Amino acid sequence: MVTVAAADPPVDPAELLTLARDVVARAAELVTAARADALGQVSTKSTPTDPVTAADRAAERFVVDAILAARPADGVLGEEGAERPGTSGVRWVLDPIDGTVNFLYGIPAYAVSLAAEVDGVTVAGVVRNVVTGEEWSATRGGGAYRGETRLRGSACTRLDRALVGTGFGYDADRRRQQARVLAEVLPVVRDIRRIGSAALDLCGAAEGRLDAYYERGLSPWDLAAGELVAAEAGLLVTGLRGRPPGEAMTVAAPPALHAPLHELLVALDADEAG
Ligand code: IPD
Ligand code: CA
């Protein structure tokens, strides 16, 4: 058993993953069952185009309750407001529905994303597409999988042949800046995909459905599980200029593609302003 000693008592990432997979599968069922009612109970958050539904809130409550029932001393951070420090050294980072706009429109690309950190380092993560039931998971040092299939990312080595995923924030100024960057990226790649769920983008890049992915503006819950899946598939997952991935910029790509994509995004100051 690989244990992480920083937690008190030491924990096995595989055990955290088993719990995460079980809870996420049940949360995905709840999201599906809650959809019809949730469509009539939509409110907005950061901007009028940033939606939250009763299903986001119910799924977050469900996951937090299920995790704390199993591990009462753990901490939690969730997109819809769950925040609890915990005392065990383990913290769970949750996006109850990543891709809420797709959820609203019935586009089958929305996911439950759940990661477990030990002393701030993600050691286990699972992302489950609610509609298709596809599930991506990883433990630190244990590889990334979709179901039982080990993931190794794309073999593409040329940016001009790369299918690149990205996404946009909800704020108009942020989008203006993202559009400026996109206008320079689009002519030099195979094509762009805006799937609408950062967690699914990162897992798609881990699997090679996308050759690479970049986005400015991700929150910890968008990133936590998908980042580990992508990294464990062999991708480099970074910010720009030596920074870690995060709000300013996240670039996920196999090493051969990461270098030219990173260089392009640096030249465009893609992590600045807006
Ligand atoms: C959003 C999605 C989207 C990304 C945005 C996120 P939400 O999360 O991941 O793909 O472009 O940056 O905010 O609001 O659907 O949980
Ligand atoms: Ca969300």
Side-chain angles (χ1 to χ4, degrees):
M1 167 171 118
V2 181
T3 55
V4 179
D8 181 24
V11 289
D12 177 1
E15 275 177 26
L16 298 177
L17 183 64
T18 300
L19 174 61
R21 290 177 69 179
D22 173 58
V23 171
V24 164
R26 290 191 282 141
E29 283 174 16
L30 181 155
V31 168
T32 300
R35 184 163 180 269
D37 282 349
L39 297 185
Q41 302 174 55
V42 185
S43 44
T44 59
K45 295 191 290 186
S46 60
T47 75
T49 54
D50 179 4
V52 58
T53 72
D56 299 70
R57 296 197 179 99
E60 178 153 312
R61 261 195 315 275
F62 171 82
V63 171
V64 170
D65 288 352
I67 291 289
L68 295 182
R71 298 183 50 89
D74 289 359
V76 179
L77 176 70
E79 176 170 16
E80 309 312 338
E83 193 161 8
R84 180 184 194 270
T87 55
S88 65
V90 175
R91 183 176 77 153
W92 297 84
V93 182
L94 166 69
D95 192 337
I97 304 180
D98 188 49
T100 301
V101 174
N102 288 341
F103 173 73
L104 282 179
Y105 282 77
I107 296 169
Y110 49 93
V112 182
S113 170
L114 181 62
E117 299 174 342
V118 175
D119 276 0
V121 176
T122 306
V123 300
V126 58
V127 174
R128 187 181 184 96
N129 181 320
V130 170
V131 182
T132 66
E134 293 168 306
E135 186 206 81
W136 295 262
S137 65
T139 51
R140 183 160 295 275
Y145 293 85
R146 177 157 75 79
E148 304 307 314
T149 306
R150 180 99 189 234
L151 305 179
R152 305 203 181 271
S154 161
C156 176
T157 56
R158 289 180 52 172
L159 194 56
D160 63 354
R161 297 287 185 275
L163 185 62
V164 178
T166 192
F168 312 114
Y170 291 109
D171 173 75
D173 287 335
R174 170 62 54 85
R175 286 182 170 184
R176 242 173 241 114
Q177 185 262 4
Q178 289 172 318
R180 175 185 68 76
V181 171
L182 183 64
E184 303 300 324
V185 174
L186 182 54
V188 299
V189 298
R190 177 189 292 276
D191 208 343
I192 288 287
R193 290 291 177 272
R194 194 292 191 251
I195 288 167
S197 159
L200 291 176
D201 287 328
L202 285 158
C203 293
E207 187 166 358
R209 285 181 182 177
L210 295 172
D211 295 308
Y213 164 73
Y214 77 93
E215 184 164 349
R216 172 152 164 77
L218 296 188
S219 297
W221 40 81
D222 299 317
L223 184 58
E227 176 191 355
L228 182 65
V229 172
E232 286 294 326
L235 278 63
L236 295 176
V237 188
T238 71
L240 298 189
R241 307 177 188 87
R243 296 190 190 116
E247 211 278 330
M249 178 56 65
T250 297
V251 189
L257 278 182
H258 186 276
L261 181 56
H262 176 270
E263 189 183 345
L264 176 61
L265 294 170
V266 167
L268 294 169
D269 284 331
D271 58 347
E272 290 188 356

